[in-house]
Amino acid sequence: MTKRGQTAKEATVADVARAAGVSKAQAARALGGYGAVSEQVLSLVVAAAEQLGYRPNQLAKSMTTGRSNSIGVIVGDIENAHFGLALRGISDEVRDAGYTVVLVNTDEDPEAEAGAVQELLQQRVAGLIVAPCSSTETAHLESAQERGRAVVLFDRGIHGLALDTVRVDFADVALQVGRVLLDAGHRRVGYVSSLRIPEPYEHGMDLGLSPVADRVGGIERAYREAGAEWDASLVKLNAASDDTLAAACAELLDQPEPATAVVCSDSLIALGVLGQIKRRGLRIPDDISVVAYDDFLWTELVEPPLTVVAQPVYDMGREAARVLLRRLGHRVPAEQLPLRPHLVRRASVGAPRARTTTGSADHR
Amino acid sequence: MTKRGQTAKEATVADVARAAGVSKAQAARALGGYGAVSEQVLSLVVAAAEQLGYRPNQLAKSMTTGRSNSIGVIVGDIENAHFGLALRGISDEVRDAGYTVVLVNTDEDPEAEAGAVQELLQQRVAGLIVAPCSSTETAHLESAQERGRAVVLFDRGIHGLALDTVRVDFADVALQVGRVLLDAGHRRVGYVSSLRIPEPYEHGMDLGLSPVADRVGGIERAYREAGAEWDASLVKLNAASDDTLAAACAELLDQPEPATAVVCSDSLIALGVLGQIKRRGLRIPDDISVVAYDDFLWTELVEPPLTVVAQPVYDMGREAARVLLRRLGHRVPAEQLPLRPHLVRRASVGAPRARTTTGSADHR
DNA sequence: CCAGCCATTGAGACCGGTCTCACTTACAGA
DNA sequence: TCTGTAAGTGAGACCGGTCTCAATGGCTGG
């Protein structure tokens, strides 16, 4: 019954044709469900295929047709639940259209990202969904686009690139975040993100179409509109590793005039920041207030529950996949999934501690 | 400079050969780095390739050589940080050997899993790493094995299948967990897992080489050795969705003699169980003790910090990849990564509440 | 009864690489 | 000078599908 040979050669159309006593062309037609095939030939071929355990070779199919059935997904860090969930959305949506997902993790490294694009293009994926780790180094994406490959950007857009981008607009919700902190009385609010940027953040710096731009901009605007002071030096980017994150926290917390509130750009950052806060023995929200982006289950279970900005990550993934599929000529629902973030107020934001103005921190 | 045509035909070896004025065979040799090629031809070809923007077609390469450069990974739920992290390990290890990862999410559905195996086999992946969602339905994995494809099982093994399996041995640590609960005075300890099993759990049921078997077995053994009572009906499997998880929690908590401790099979389950506990207004560890498998950052940040069994998930992923690569004839470090789990005692285990023996729950 | 149309069929080219094989040429050793 | 060896080269088969094209045969309308 079962072949013993380890390198069991797979049966090919030619094998099936031979077994069924018809031409290769006819067997291929019967198997592939195209062209004209008589009942008789059909059943002969189907029986032979069954008997030989024929399984079409997707590689050969892709090669001849030029159409691939896989799409490439490039993310900075699958460990990040944000991407995990998005990936799930992509995967679910794309599967219905008959595609599989080739995943590459870049560790938030632009070079690795460029390499991944190359590799996936060589693998002739039908299209690419990329969560770019840099808003500035984009040559590889442009080149992919130029080669006529469908590319969809996820989360982060890039100015001046005519690439489809799926991202949610954080302007409003970020403004809300700013106001919440402002109203609570905070004047020194930190922002921590893993976004790659060559230099430290400054006022009005172009962060591309990154959500970070929206989010920082929103807070800034809230303060500006209220005529309140806003310190851009408390925006800490490049916190992609444990070390850099720790450094960012140190800069925010271990200074004469520490931040009294910190906004975390995603749940992974939040986890790290929370750890740093805990290590210093600071209490939330008495000593420091915290707001995080992404509403994952655990944010409600920590003490105190975190005030967060919820975003429909799963649907964002689906939407990215839909945009891509559309570009590939598939029929997908025309309406766009509503991708609106909203603020979930819980208990991690409070009034800043009354401090002496002498500038010497009094904790620890 | 850049082609305008959208369907920009990619340059082929033949194109390069023509441009360089050499034969296709020579161009291929120069480009592929095999066979004998003179300096002169080499530079001519390289220049021509450069100029045409030649990019090898991985599909064609795989087809002719029969060697694919992608490996398939099938998991039940990428959303689960456990798999996310493992995937990362796999991805990192495999990339060094020049492979990419094709990922399929099965939603813990055995049928979807079987379909995924088919699909990936048709795509001619070099090998498969599967975290099987069932310990009983395994025909698709056997068949893949029989076809001479390398298959490595992750997390869950299957009795009687000669498949390489990467899993950690939980026997010792599970015994520890059992003793900790026993010593704290618990007599009714629940276990919640998403493992698919046709019927409810019973004493001595064969759960295959699933970690759940180890874990439940360890607790059971601790109680047996101490001559203490152990109620197998408190083992709740099949809790793969929000609903089934809620149902399992209801069965454990909303009964005359509720469980006084609950062990969560993974972090996703723990998140769900914690939510259910919170909803009921129960307090940890006063009203109920909790132990969870997988030590993710958030488990230390909840109140109280969770007592957990830590396992080297990332390394497990790497090890699975290594086993697979070895099977594919690659050289990888011979020693096996040590995959030892250990108990991290934090504050979520305490003594069960003294209860009246009348059997009426007094919470709420 | 014959042209015309259509369903069915097989031969063979093609996709873009790899690789075998035969052939040429250069050079070393005898 | 002759032979043996090795490097360099090109022609063409091959992988496993798809698809074009021409040929065949049955059936219909005039």
Side-chain angles (χ1 to χ4, degrees):
Chain A
M1 203 82 7
T2 62
K3 286 258 185 65
R4 191 106 9 104
Q6 290 306 57
T7 331
K9 270 285 254 156
E10 298 275 344
T12 70
V13 230
D15 296 332
V16 173
R18 208 171 305 121
V22 301
S23 72
K24 183 180 148 196
Q26 277 309 86
R29 283 190 263 256
L31 261 11
Y34 59 92
V37 180
S38 65
E39 288 293 323
Q40 196 198 1
V41 167
L42 183 65
S43 58
L44 274 173
V45 170
V46 167
E50 176 83 9
Q51 210 260 319
L52 292 174
Y54 171 76
R55 219 58 58 88
N57 182 330
Q58 187 60 48
L59 247 47
K61 191 173 292 195
S62 294
M63 231 204 66
T64 44
T65 59
R67 268 167 269 122
S68 157
N69 72 147
S70 60
I71 67 137
V73 176
I74 303 179
V75 301
D77 185 4
I78 345 168
E79 221 176 309
N80 190 330
H82 181 82
F83 291 127
L85 188 49
L87 184 56
R88 175 112 199 244
I90 292 171
S91 174
D92 286 355
E93 185 74 34
V94 124
R95 186 212 315 292
D96 296 339
Y99 290 86
T100 56
V101 169
V102 182
L103 177 70
V104 182
N105 191 64
T106 65
D107 263 328
E108 300 283 359
D109 172 14
E111 256 181 68
E113 185 178 298
V117 170
Q118 288 307 335
E119 200 163 11
L120 291 175
L121 250 34
Q122 291 183 195
Q123 250 182 70
R124 299 297 191 267
V125 293
L128 238 35
I129 295 179
V130 185
C133 57
S134 163
S135 326
T136 53
E137 304 179 35
T138 59
H140 52 294
L141 298 172
E142 295 181 90
S143 121
Q145 175 84 330
E146 271 168 16
R147 284 163 179 277
R149 301 278 159 180
V151 178
V152 173
L153 260 31
F154 185 78
D155 260 6
R156 299 177 188 158
I158 294 172
H159 279 313
L161 269 192
L163 292 176
D164 284 329
T165 304
V166 171
R167 53 192 293 275
V168 331
D169 181 4
F170 289 103
D172 291 345
V173 82
L175 188 64
Q176 270 185 66
V177 169
R179 286 185 182 149
V180 163
L181 294 173
L182 183 70
D183 292 350
H186 294 278
R187 287 302 174 272
R188 297 186 63 71
V189 344
Y191 188 97
V192 184
S193 166
S194 59
L195 181 70
R196 289 242 171 197
I197 273 292
E199 317 122 60
Y201 180 76
E202 286 173 22
H203 258 299
M205 176 179 273
D206 179 19
L207 297 177
L209 293 173
S210 140
V212 177
D214 285 2
R215 296 172 187 170
V216 170
I219 304 174
E220 200 168 347
R221 187 173 147 213
Y223 279 74
R224 184 165 21 85
E225 287 182 356
E229 181 199 2
W230 157 261
D231 188 348
S233 76
L234 297 180
V235 174
K236 305 295 181 188
L237 307 181
N238 293 311
S241 69
D242 286 351
D243 292 347
T244 49
L245 180 79
C249 287
E251 288 176 35
L252 288 179
L253 305 175
D254 306 336
Q255 56 157 301
E257 279 202 86
T260 58
V262 50
V263 179
C264 307
S265 206
D266 65 51
S267 68
L268 214 52
I269 297 278
L271 246 10
V273 168
L274 253 36
Q276 293 289 333
I277 287 175
K278 188 170 191 176
R279 174 168 317 159
R280 286 172 172 75
L282 299 175
R283 292 189 329 173
I284 304 171
D286 301 331
D287 297 316
I288 184 151
S289 291
V290 173
V291 176
Y293 276 80
D294 267 335
D295 183 23
F296 288 109
L297 281 174
W298 66 265
T299 60
E300 200 179 344
L301 297 170
V302 294
E303 193 48 45
L306 254 40
T307 289
V308 298
V309 173
Q311 32 175 337
V313 184
Y314 178 79
D315 279 346
M316 286 160 65
R318 294 195 65 145
E319 181 61 25
R322 286 191 184 178
V323 171
L324 183 62
L325 289 174
R326 228 169 267 144
R327 284 277 295 277
L328 295 176
H330 283 264
R331 289 204 178 172
V332 271
E335 12 65 74
Q336 193 197 328
L337 292 168
L339 303 179
R340 247 172 252 111
H342 66 276
L343 183 66
V344 180
R345 301 180 69 149
R346 293 201 275 248
S348 62
V349 173
R353 213 178 2 196
R355 309 180 54 258
T356 59
T357 54
T358 61
S360 144
D362 55 4
H363 63 265
R364 276 198 174 259
Chain B
M1 203 81 8
T2 60
K3 286 257 185 64
R4 191 107 10 103
Q6 290 306 59
T7 330
K9 269 288 253 155
E10 298 275 346
T12 71
V13 229
D15 296 332
V16 174
R18 208 171 305 123
V22 301
S23 72
K24 183 180 149 195
Q26 277 310 86
R29 283 191 264 254
L31 261 10
Y34 59 92
V37 180
S38 66
E39 287 294 323
Q40 197 198 357
V41 168
L42 182 64
S43 58
L44 274 173
V45 170
V46 167
E50 175 83 9
Q51 210 259 319
L52 292 174
Y54 170 76
R55 218 56 59 88
N57 182 330
Q58 188 59 49
L59 248 47
K61 190 173 292 194
S62 295
M63 232 204 67
T64 45
T65 59
R67 267 169 272 122
S68 157
N69 73 147
S70 60
I71 67 136
V73 175
I74 304 179
V75 301
D77 186 5
I78 346 168
E79 221 177 309
N80 190 329
H82 181 83
F83 291 128
L85 189 48
L87 184 56
R88 177 113 199 241
I90 293 172
S91 175
D92 285 355
E93 185 73 35
V94 125
R95 185 211 316 290
D96 295 340
Y99 290 85
T100 57
V101 169
V102 183
L103 176 72
V104 182
N105 191 65
T106 64
D107 262 328
E108 299 283 358
D109 172 14
E111 257 181 67
E113 186 178 297
V117 170
Q118 289 306 335
E119 199 162 13
L120 291 176
L121 251 33
Q122 292 182 196
Q123 248 182 73
R124 299 299 191 266
V125 293
L128 238 35
I129 296 180
V130 186
C133 58
S134 163
S135 325
T136 54
E137 303 179 35
T138 60
H140 53 293
L141 298 173
E142 295 182 90
S143 122
Q145 175 84 329
E146 273 168 15
R147 283 161 178 279
R149 299 280 159 180
V151 178
V152 173
L153 260 32
F154 186 78
D155 260 6
R156 298 176 187 159
I158 293 173
H159 280 314
L161 268 192
L163 292 177
D164 284 330
T165 304
V166 171
R167 51 191 294 274
V168 332
D169 181 4
F170 290 104
D172 291 344
V173 81
L175 188 64
Q176 269 186 68
V177 169
R179 286 185 182 150
V180 163
L181 294 173
L182 183 69
D183 292 349
H186 294 279
R187 287 302 174 272
R188 298 185 63 68
V189 345
Y191 188 97
V192 184
S193 166
S194 59
L195 181 68
R196 288 243 170 196
I197 272 292
E199 316 122 61
Y201 181 75
E202 285 175 23
H203 259 300
M205 177 179 273
D206 180 19
L207 296 178
L209 292 173
S210 141
V212 177
D214 285 2
R215 296 173 187 170
V216 170
I219 304 175
E220 200 168 346
R221 185 171 149 217
Y223 279 74
R224 184 163 23 83
E225 287 181 356
E229 182 198 0
W230 157 260
D231 187 348
S233 76
L234 297 180
V235 174
K236 306 296 181 188
L237 307 181
N238 293 312
S241 69
D242 286 351
D243 292 347
T244 49
L245 180 77
C249 286
E251 288 176 36
L252 289 178
L253 304 174
D254 306 335
Q255 56 157 301
E257 281 202 85
T260 59
V262 50
V263 179
C264 307
S265 208
D266 65 51
S267 69
L268 213 51
I269 298 278
L271 246 10
V273 168
L274 254 34
Q276 292 290 332
I277 288 174
K278 188 170 193 176
R279 175 168 316 161
R280 285 173 174 74
L282 299 175
R283 293 189 331 173
I284 304 170
D286 302 331
D287 298 316
I288 184 152
S289 291
V290 174
V291 176
Y293 277 79
D294 267 336
D295 182 24
F296 288 109
L297 280 174
W298 65 264
T299 61
E300 201 178 345
L301 296 171
V302 293
E303 194 48 45
L306 254 39
T307 290
V308 297
V309 174
Q311 31 176 337
V313 184
Y314 178 78
D315 278 346
M316 287 161 64
R318 294 194 64 143
E319 181 61 25
R322 286 192 183 177
V323 171
L324 184 62
L325 289 174
R326 229 168 267 144
R327 285 276 296 277
L328 295 176
H330 283 265
R331 289 205 178 170
V332 271
E335 12 65 74
Q336 193 196 329
L337 292 169
L339 302 180
R340 249 172 251 111
H342 65 276
L343 184 66
V344 180
R345 301 181 69 152
R346 293 202 275 248
S348 62
V349 174
R353 228 218 298 234
R355 309 181 54 258
T356 59
T357 54
T358 60
S360 143
D362 54 4
H363 64 264
R364 271 191 178 265

